[in-house]
Amino acid sequence: MEPSIAQYDAEEVLRSTIEFAEKYDVMVHGHLAESKSEYDFTMEQFGCSPVEWFRRNNLLGDRFYYAHCIHLDEQDIKVLAETGTGVVSCPISNMYLSSGSCQVRNMMDAGVERIGLGVDGAASSNSSNMMGEMRVAYLLNRLTHEENACTSENI
């Protein structure tokens, strides 16, 4: 009988995930730096930010993309850019959960090239309406960056 995931340690699950993705040439998606509590936990347990922990565990690069990426400092953003890691902004979910907002403009300025827009999930976006998500992303971008906001002309 195969052991359950609960019987594996976290590092073995990570290694297996990476091996599977490489073997079958598939992307790996997850959530990263979504909440302040996640950031605080990683700092307390591992002495580093979530992005740095992912880097140390080979979970960054062009095979990976992560939803949220809210609680990042300049170094974290630089690491995402250098590794080619993708980011998916989910503004309605993040507003609904009061977790913050993705620093899309700062990421673009730092060279993060793969930035997408997502709806997260039904439990935190209420409708999974991509048109609504685009509208909120645009308005949040305007509110946050004013005259430096992303537009179709400057991205």
Side-chain angles (χ1 to χ4, degrees):
M1 180 162 80
E2 289 288 316
S4 71
I5 282 187
Q7 293 171 306
Y8 288 105
D9 67 26
E11 290 182 10
E12 178 59 29
V13 171
L14 295 175
R15 276 192 299 276
S16 296
T17 300
I18 294 167
E19 288 171 12
F20 179 89
E22 289 176 357
K23 180 178 179 178
Y24 294 102
D25 194 25
V26 295
M27 301 292 291
V28 177
H29 171 69
H31 291 210
L32 175 59
E34 179 177 3
S35 67
K36 180 76 169 96
S37 61
E38 175 191 345
Y39 180 87
D40 292 344
F41 173 84
T42 308
M43 289 298 290
E44 183 178 305
Q45 293 296 312
F46 306 109
C48 62
S49 72
V51 169
E52 177 57 21
W53 190 86
F54 275 47
R55 187 193 64 74
R56 291 177 186 176
N57 287 280
N58 300 313
L59 294 168
L60 300 178
D62 59 7
R63 182 173 303 286
F64 302 91
Y65 64 101
Y66 295 105
H68 308 295
C69 297
I70 295 169
H71 297 278
L72 309 177
D73 61 21
E74 287 182 28
Q75 179 60 31
D76 291 331
I77 293 172
K78 181 179 176 185
V79 167
L80 293 176
E82 290 173 349
T83 59
T85 303
V87 174
V88 180
S89 175
C90 303
I92 291 176
S93 169
N94 299 146
M95 293 169 78
Y96 182 76
L97 298 172
S98 298
S99 54
S101 63
C102 186
Q103 303 172 53
V104 172
R105 176 86 253 174
N106 296 347
M107 289 183 194
M108 289 174 59
D109 291 345
V112 176
E113 294 182 359
R114 295 185 309 127
I115 303 173
L117 184 64
V119 297
D120 199 16
S124 61
S125 73
N126 289 337
S127 69
S128 296
N129 179 332
M130 192 56 123
M131 294 303 288
E133 205 76 37
M134 285 190 290
R135 180 177 187 273
V136 169
Y138 171 76
L139 293 172
L140 183 60
N141 165 57
R142 298 282 300 153
L143 175 68
T144 305
H145 297 287
E146 299 171 355
E147 69 276 353
N148 295 318
C150 301
T151 67
S152 60
E153 291 82 23
N154 68 11
I155 57 173

Coordinates of all heavy atoms in Angstrom, one line a residue, residues 23-93:
K23 N 9.8 15.7 -15.0 CA 9.6 14.5 -15.8 C 8.5 14.7 -16.8 O 8.6 14.3 -18.0 CB 9.2 13.4 -14.9 CG 9.0 12.1 -15.6 CD 8.7 10.9 -14.6 CE 8.5 9.6 -15.4 NZ 8.2 8.5 -14.5
Y24 N 7.4 15.3 -16.5 CA 6.3 15.5 -17.4 C 6.2 16.9 -18.0 O 5.2 17.2 -18.7 CB 5.0 15.1 -16.6 CG 4.9 13.7 -16.3 CD1 5.2 13.3 -15.0 CD2 4.6 12.7 -17.2 CE1 5.2 11.9 -14.6 CE2 4.6 11.4 -16.9 CZ 4.9 11.0 -15.6 OH 4.9 9.7 -15.3
D25 N 7.2 17.7 -17.8 CA 7.3 19.0 -18.3 C 6.0 19.8 -18.1 O 5.3 20.3 -19.0 CB 7.6 19.0 -19.8 CG 8.0 20.3 -20.4 OD1 8.5 21.2 -19.6 OD2 7.8 20.6 -21.6
V26 N 5.6 19.9 -16.9 CA 4.4 20.7 -16.5 C 4.8 21.8 -15.5 O 5.8 21.8 -14.9 CB 3.3 19.8 -15.8 CG1 2.8 18.8 -16.8 CG2 3.8 19.2 -14.5
M27 N 3.9 22.8 -15.5 CA 4.1 24.0 -14.6 C 3.7 23.6 -13.1 O 2.9 22.7 -12.9 CB 3.3 25.2 -15.0 CG 3.6 25.6 -16.4 SD 5.2 26.3 -16.6 CE 5.0 27.8 -15.6
V28 N 4.2 24.3 -12.2 CA 3.9 24.1 -10.8 C 3.2 25.4 -10.3 O 3.8 26.5 -10.5 CB 5.1 23.8 -9.9 CG1 4.7 23.7 -8.4 CG2 5.8 22.5 -10.4
H29 N 2.0 25.3 -9.8 CA 1.3 26.5 -9.3 C 1.1 26.4 -7.8 O 0.8 25.3 -7.3 CB 0.0 26.7 -10.0 CG -0.9 27.7 -9.4 ND1 -0.6 29.1 -9.5 CD2 -2.0 27.6 -8.7 CE1 -1.5 29.8 -8.8 NE2 -2.4 28.9 -8.3
G30 N 1.1 27.5 -7.1 CA 0.8 27.5 -5.7 C 0.5 28.9 -5.2 O 0.3 29.8 -6.0
H31 N 0.5 29.1 -3.9 CA 0.3 30.4 -3.3 C 1.6 30.8 -2.6 O 2.2 29.9 -2.0 CB -0.9 30.3 -2.3 CG -2.2 30.2 -3.0 ND1 -3.4 30.7 -2.4 CD2 -2.6 29.5 -4.1 CE1 -4.4 30.4 -3.2 NE2 -3.9 29.7 -4.2
L32 N 1.9 32.0 -2.6 CA 3.2 32.5 -2.0 C 3.0 33.9 -1.4 O 2.4 34.8 -2.1 CB 4.3 32.5 -3.1 CG 5.6 33.1 -2.7 CD1 6.2 32.3 -1.5 CD2 6.6 33.1 -3.9
A33 N 3.4 34.0 -0.2 CA 3.4 35.3 0.5 C 2.0 36.0 0.5 O 1.9 37.2 0.3 CB 4.5 36.2 -0.1
E34 N 1.0 35.1 0.7 CA -0.4 35.6 0.6 C -0.8 36.4 1.9 O -1.5 37.4 1.8 CB -1.3 34.4 0.4 CG -2.8 34.8 0.4 CD -3.7 33.6 0.1 OE1 -3.2 32.5 0.0 OE2 -4.9 33.9 -0.1
S35 N -0.3 36.0 3.0 CA -0.8 36.6 4.3 C 0.3 37.0 5.2 O 1.4 36.5 5.1 CB -1.7 35.7 5.0 OG -1.0 34.6 5.5
K36 N 0.1 38.0 6.0 CA 1.1 38.4 7.0 C 1.4 37.2 7.9 O 2.6 37.1 8.3 CB 0.5 39.6 7.8 CG 1.4 40.1 8.9 CD 2.5 41.0 8.2 CE 3.3 41.7 9.3 NZ 4.5 41.1 9.7
S37 N 0.4 36.4 8.3 CA 0.7 35.3 9.2 C 1.7 34.3 8.5 O 2.5 33.7 9.2 CB -0.6 34.6 9.6 OG -1.3 34.1 8.6
E38 N 1.5 34.1 7.2 CA 2.5 33.2 6.5 C 3.9 33.8 6.5 O 4.8 33.1 6.8 CB 2.0 33.0 5.0 CG 3.0 32.3 4.2 CD 2.7 32.3 2.7 OE1 1.6 32.7 2.3 OE2 3.6 31.9 1.9
Y39 N 4.0 35.1 6.3 CA 5.3 35.7 6.4 C 5.9 35.6 7.8 O 7.0 35.2 7.9 CB 5.1 37.2 6.0 CG 6.4 38.0 6.0 CD1 7.3 38.0 4.9 CD2 6.8 38.6 7.2 CE1 8.5 38.7 5.0 CE2 8.1 39.3 7.2 CZ 8.9 39.3 6.1 OH 10.1 40.0 6.2
D40 N 5.1 35.9 8.8 CA 5.6 35.8 10.2 C 6.0 34.4 10.5 O 7.0 34.2 11.2 CB 4.5 36.3 11.1 CG 4.2 37.8 11.0 OD1 5.1 38.5 10.4 OD2 3.2 38.2 11.5
F41 N 5.2 33.4 10.1 CA 5.6 32.0 10.4 C 6.9 31.6 9.8 O 7.7 31.0 10.4 CB 4.4 31.1 9.9 CG 4.8 29.6 10.0 CD1 4.6 28.9 11.2 CD2 5.3 28.9 8.9 CE1 4.9 27.6 11.3 CE2 5.7 27.6 9.0 CZ 5.5 26.9 10.2
T42 N 7.1 32.0 8.5 CA 8.3 31.6 7.8 C 9.5 32.3 8.4 O 10.6 31.7 8.6 CB 8.2 32.0 6.3 OG1 7.0 31.4 5.8 CG2 9.4 31.4 5.5
M43 N 9.3 33.6 8.8 CA 10.4 34.3 9.5 C 10.8 33.6 10.8 O 12.0 33.4 11.1 CB 10.1 35.7 9.7 CG 10.0 36.6 8.4 SD 11.6 36.7 7.6 CE 12.5 37.7 8.7
E44 N 9.8 33.2 11.6 CA 10.0 32.6 12.9 C 10.6 31.2 12.8 O 11.5 30.9 13.5 CB 8.7 32.5 13.6 CG 8.8 32.0 15.0 CD 7.4 31.9 15.7 OE1 6.8 33.0 15.8 OE2 7.0 30.8 16.2
Q45 N 10.1 30.4 11.8 CA 10.5 29.0 11.7 C 11.8 28.8 11.0 O 12.6 28.0 11.3 CB 9.4 28.2 11.0 CG 8.2 28.0 11.8 CD 8.4 27.2 13.1 OE1 9.0 26.2 13.1 NE2 7.9 27.8 14.2
F46 N 12.0 29.7 9.9 CA 13.2 29.5 9.0 C 14.1 30.7 9.0 O 15.1 30.6 8.3 CB 12.7 29.1 7.6 CG 11.7 28.0 7.6 CD1 10.4 28.2 7.4 CD2 12.2 26.7 7.9 CE1 9.5 27.1 7.4 CE2 11.3 25.6 7.9 CZ 9.9 25.8 7.7
G47 N 13.8 31.8 9.6 CA 14.6 32.9 9.6 C 14.7 33.6 8.3 O 15.7 34.3 8.0
C48 N 13.7 33.5 7.4 CA 13.8 34.2 6.1 C 12.3 34.4 5.6 O 11.4 33.9 6.2 CB 14.5 33.3 5.1 SG 13.8 31.7 4.8
S49 N 12.2 35.2 4.6 CA 10.9 35.4 4.0 C 10.4 34.2 3.2 O 11.2 33.3 2.9 CB 11.0 36.6 3.0 OG 11.7 36.2 1.8
P50 N 9.1 34.1 2.9 CA 8.6 33.0 2.2 C 9.3 32.8 0.8 O 9.6 31.7 0.4 CB 7.1 33.3 2.0 CG 6.8 34.1 3.2 CD 8.0 34.9 3.4
V51 N 9.6 33.9 0.1 CA 10.3 33.9 -1.2 C 11.7 33.2 -1.0 O 12.1 32.4 -1.8 CB 10.4 35.2 -1.8 CG1 11.3 35.2 -3.0 CG2 9.0 35.7 -2.3
E52 N 12.4 33.7 0.0 CA 13.7 33.1 0.2 C 13.6 31.6 0.6 O 14.4 30.8 0.1 CB 14.4 33.9 1.4 CG 15.8 33.3 1.7 CD 16.8 33.2 0.6 OE1 16.7 33.9 -0.5 OE2 17.8 32.4 0.7
W53 N 12.6 31.2 1.3 CA 12.5 29.8 1.7 C 12.2 29.0 0.4 O 12.7 27.9 0.2 CB 11.3 29.6 2.7 CG 11.3 28.2 3.2 CD1 12.0 27.7 4.3 CD2 10.5 27.2 2.7 NE1 11.7 26.4 4.5 CE2 10.8 26.0 3.5 CE3 9.6 27.0 1.7 CZ2 10.2 24.8 3.3 CZ3 9.0 25.8 1.5 CH2 9.3 24.7 2.3
F54 N 11.3 29.5 -0.5 CA 11.0 28.9 -1.7 C 12.3 28.8 -2.6 O 12.6 27.8 -3.2 CB 10.0 29.6 -2.5 CG 8.5 29.2 -2.1 CD1 8.1 29.1 -0.8 CD2 7.6 29.0 -3.1 CE1 6.8 28.7 -0.5 CE2 6.3 28.6 -2.8 CZ 5.9 28.5 -1.5
R55 N 13.1 29.8 -2.6 CA 14.4 29.8 -3.3 C 15.3 28.7 -2.8 O 15.9 27.9 -3.6 CB 15.1 31.2 -3.3 CG 16.3 31.3 -4.2 CD 17.2 32.4 -3.9 NE 17.8 32.4 -2.6 CZ 18.8 31.6 -2.2 NH1 19.3 30.7 -3.1 NH2 19.3 31.6 -1.0
R56 N 15.4 28.6 -1.5 CA 16.3 27.6 -0.9 C 15.8 26.2 -1.2 O 16.7 25.3 -1.2 CB 16.3 27.8 0.6 CG 17.0 29.1 1.1 CD 17.0 29.2 2.6 NE 17.5 30.5 3.0 CZ 17.5 30.9 4.3 NH1 16.9 30.2 5.2 NH2 18.0 32.1 4.6
N57 N 14.6 26.0 -1.5 CA 14.0 24.7 -1.7 C 13.7 24.5 -3.2 O 13.0 23.6 -3.6 CB 12.7 24.5 -0.9 CG 13.1 24.3 0.5 OD1 13.5 23.2 0.9 ND2 13.0 25.3 1.4
N58 N 14.4 25.3 -4.1 CA 14.3 25.1 -5.5 C 12.9 25.2 -6.1 O 12.5 24.5 -7.0 CB 15.0 23.8 -6.0 CG 16.4 23.7 -5.6 OD1 17.2 24.7 -5.8 ND2 16.8 22.6 -5.0
L59 N 12.1 26.1 -5.5 CA 10.7 26.3 -5.9 C 10.5 27.6 -6.6 O 9.4 28.1 -6.7 CB 9.8 26.2 -4.7 CG 9.8 24.8 -4.0 CD1 9.1 24.9 -2.6 CD2 9.1 23.8 -4.9
L60 N 11.5 28.1 -7.2 CA 11.4 29.3 -8.0 C 12.0 29.0 -9.4 O 12.9 28.2 -9.5 CB 12.1 30.5 -7.4 CG 11.6 30.9 -6.0 CD1 12.4 32.1 -5.5 CD2 10.1 31.3 -6.0
G61 N 11.5 29.7 -10.4 CA 12.1 29.6 -11.8 C 10.9 29.6 -12.8 O 9.8 29.8 -12.4
D62 N 11.3 29.4 -14.0 CA 10.3 29.5 -15.1 C 9.3 28.4 -15.1 O 8.3 28.5 -15.9 CB 10.9 29.8 -16.4 CG 11.9 28.6 -16.9 OD1 11.9 27.6 -16.2 OD2 12.5 28.8 -17.9
R63 N 9.5 27.4 -14.3 CA 8.5 26.3 -14.2 C 7.4 26.6 -13.2 O 6.4 26.0 -13.1 CB 9.2 25.0 -13.9 CG 8.2 23.8 -13.8 CD 8.9 22.5 -13.6 NE 9.9 22.2 -14.6 CZ 9.6 21.8 -15.8 NH1 8.4 21.7 -16.2 NH2 10.6 21.5 -16.7
F64 N 7.6 27.7 -12.4 CA 6.7 28.0 -11.3 C 6.0 29.3 -11.5 O 6.5 30.3 -12.0 CB 7.6 28.1 -10.0 CG 8.3 26.8 -9.7 CD1 9.6 26.7 -10.1 CD2 7.7 25.8 -8.9 CE1 10.3 25.5 -9.9 CE2 8.4 24.7 -8.7 CZ 9.7 24.5 -9.1
Y65 N 4.8 29.3 -11.0 CA 4.0 30.6 -10.9 C 3.1 30.5 -9.6 O 2.6 29.5 -9.3 CB 3.2 30.9 -12.1 CG 2.1 29.9 -12.4 CD1 0.8 30.2 -12.2 CD2 2.4 28.7 -13.0 CE1 -0.2 29.4 -12.5 CE2 1.3 27.8 -13.3 CZ 0.0 28.1 -13.0 OH -1.0 27.3 -13.3
Y66 N 3.0 31.7 -9.0 CA 2.4 31.7 -7.7 C 1.3 32.8 -7.6 O 1.6 34.0 -8.0 CB 3.4 31.9 -6.6 CG 4.4 30.8 -6.5 CD1 5.7 30.9 -6.9 CD2 3.9 29.6 -5.9 CE1 6.5 29.8 -6.9 CE2 4.8 28.5 -5.8 CZ 6.1 28.6 -6.3 OH 6.9 27.5 -6.3
A67 N 0.2 32.5 -7.0 CA -0.9 33.4 -6.7 C -0.5 34.3 -5.5 O 0.2 33.9 -4.6 CB -2.2 32.7 -6.4
H68 N -0.9 35.5 -5.6 CA -0.9 36.5 -4.5 C 0.5 37.3 -4.4 O 0.5 38.4 -4.9 CB -1.2 35.9 -3.2 CG -2.5 35.2 -3.2 ND1 -3.7 35.8 -3.4 CD2 -2.8 33.9 -3.1 CE1 -4.7 34.9 -3.4 NE2 -4.2 33.7 -3.3
C69 N 1.5 36.7 -3.9 CA 2.8 37.4 -3.7 C 2.6 38.8 -3.2 O 3.0 39.8 -3.8 CB 3.5 37.4 -5.1 SG 3.9 35.7 -5.6
I70 N 2.0 39.0 -2.1 CA 1.7 40.3 -1.5 C 2.7 40.8 -0.5 O 3.2 41.9 -0.7 CB 0.3 40.2 -0.7 CG1 -0.8 39.9 -1.7 CG2 0.0 41.4 0.0 CD1 -2.1 39.5 -1.1
H71 N 3.1 39.9 0.4 CA 4.1 40.4 1.4 C 5.5 40.1 1.0 O 6.1 39.1 1.4 CB 3.7 39.6 2.8 CG 2.4 40.0 3.2 ND1 2.1 41.2 3.9 CD2 1.2 39.5 3.1 CE1 0.8 41.3 4.2 NE2 0.2 40.3 3.6
L72 N 6.0 41.0 0.2 CA 7.3 41.0 -0.4 C 8.1 42.2 -0.2 O 7.5 43.3 -0.2 CB 7.2 40.7 -1.9 CG 6.4 39.6 -2.5 CD1 6.4 39.7 -4.0 CD2 6.8 38.3 -2.0
D73 N 9.4 42.1 0.0 CA 10.2 43.3 0.1 C 10.9 43.5 -1.2 O 10.7 42.6 -2.1 CB 11.1 43.3 1.3 CG 12.1 42.2 1.3 OD1 12.4 41.6 0.2 OD2 12.7 41.8 2.4
E74 N 11.8 44.5 -1.4 CA 12.5 44.7 -2.6 C 13.3 43.5 -3.0 O 13.4 43.2 -4.2 CB 13.3 46.0 -2.6 CG 12.5 47.2 -2.6 CD 13.4 48.5 -2.5 OE1 14.6 48.4 -3.0 OE2 12.9 49.5 -2.0
Q75 N 14.0 42.9 -2.1 CA 14.9 41.7 -2.3 C 14.0 40.6 -2.9 O 14.4 39.9 -3.8 CB 15.6 41.3 -1.1 CG 16.5 40.1 -1.3 CD 17.6 40.3 -2.4 OE1 18.1 41.5 -2.6 NE2 18.0 39.3 -3.1
D76 N 12.9 40.3 -2.3 CA 12.0 39.2 -2.7 C 11.6 39.5 -4.2 O 11.6 38.5 -5.0 CB 10.7 39.2 -1.9 CG 11.0 38.7 -0.4 OD1 12.0 37.9 -0.2 OD2 10.2 39.1 0.5
I77 N 11.2 40.7 -4.5 CA 10.8 41.0 -5.9 C 12.0 40.8 -6.8 O 11.8 40.3 -7.9 CB 10.2 42.4 -5.9 CG1 8.9 42.5 -5.2 CG2 10.0 42.9 -7.4 CD1 8.3 43.9 -5.0
K78 N 13.1 41.2 -6.4 CA 14.3 41.0 -7.2 C 14.6 39.5 -7.5 O 14.9 39.1 -8.6 CB 15.6 41.6 -6.5 CG 16.8 41.5 -7.3 CD 18.0 42.2 -6.5 CE 19.3 42.0 -7.2 NZ 20.4 42.5 -6.5
V79 N 14.4 38.7 -6.5 CA 14.6 37.3 -6.6 C 13.6 36.7 -7.6 O 13.9 35.9 -8.5 CB 14.5 36.5 -5.3 CG1 14.4 35.0 -5.4 CG2 15.7 36.9 -4.4
L80 N 12.3 37.1 -7.5 CA 11.3 36.6 -8.5 C 11.7 37.0 -9.9 O 11.6 36.2 -10.8 CB 9.9 37.2 -8.1 CG 9.3 36.7 -6.8 CD1 8.0 37.4 -6.6 CD2 9.1 35.2 -6.8
A81 N 12.2 38.2 -10.1 CA 12.6 38.7 -11.4 C 13.8 37.9 -11.9 O 13.8 37.4 -13.1 CB 13.0 40.2 -11.4
E82 N 14.8 37.7 -11.1 CA 16.0 37.0 -11.5 C 15.8 35.5 -11.8 O 16.5 35.0 -12.6 CB 17.1 37.1 -10.4 CG 17.7 38.5 -10.2 CD 18.6 38.6 -9.0 OE1 18.6 37.7 -8.1 OE2 19.3 39.6 -8.9
T83 N 14.8 34.9 -11.1 CA 14.6 33.5 -11.4 C 13.5 33.2 -12.4 O 13.3 32.1 -12.8 CB 14.1 32.8 -10.0 OG1 12.9 33.5 -9.6 CG2 15.2 32.9 -9.0
G84 N 12.8 34.3 -12.9 CA 11.8 34.1 -14.0 C 10.5 33.5 -13.4 O 9.7 32.9 -14.2
T85 N 10.3 33.6 -12.1 CA 9.1 33.0 -11.5 C 7.9 33.9 -11.9 O 8.0 35.1 -11.9 CB 9.3 33.0 -10.0 OG1 10.5 32.2 -9.7 CG2 8.1 32.4 -9.3
G86 N 6.8 33.2 -12.2 CA 5.6 33.9 -12.5 C 4.7 34.2 -11.3 O 4.8 33.6 -10.3
V87 N 4.0 35.3 -11.4 CA 3.1 35.8 -10.4 C 1.7 36.0 -10.9 O 1.5 36.4 -12.0 CB 3.6 37.2 -9.8 CG1 2.7 37.8 -8.8 CG2 5.0 37.0 -9.2
V88 N 0.7 35.6 -10.1 CA -0.7 35.8 -10.5 C -1.4 36.7 -9.4 O -1.5 36.3 -8.2 CB -1.5 34.5 -10.6 CG1 -2.9 34.8 -11.0 CG2 -0.8 33.6 -11.6
S89 N -1.8 37.9 -9.8 CA -2.4 38.8 -8.9 C -3.9 38.4 -8.8 O -4.5 38.2 -9.9 CB -2.3 40.3 -9.4 OG -3.0 41.1 -8.6
C90 N -4.5 38.4 -7.6 CA -5.9 38.1 -7.4 C -6.5 39.2 -6.5 O -6.8 38.9 -5.3 CB -6.0 36.7 -6.7 SG -5.2 35.4 -7.6
P91 N -6.7 40.4 -7.1 CA -7.1 41.5 -6.2 C -8.4 41.4 -5.5 O -8.5 41.8 -4.3 CB -7.1 42.7 -7.2 CG -7.2 42.1 -8.5 CD -6.6 40.7 -8.5
I92 N -9.4 40.8 -6.1 CA -10.7 40.7 -5.4 C -10.6 39.8 -4.1 O -11.0 40.1 -3.0 CB -11.9 40.2 -6.3 CG1 -12.2 41.3 -7.3 CG2 -13.1 39.8 -5.5 CD1 -13.2 41.0 -8.3
S93 N -9.9 38.6 -4.3 CA -9.7 37.7 -3.2 C -8.9 38.4 -2.1 O -9.2 38.3 -0.9 CB -9.0 36.5 -3.7 OG -8.5 35.7 -2.6

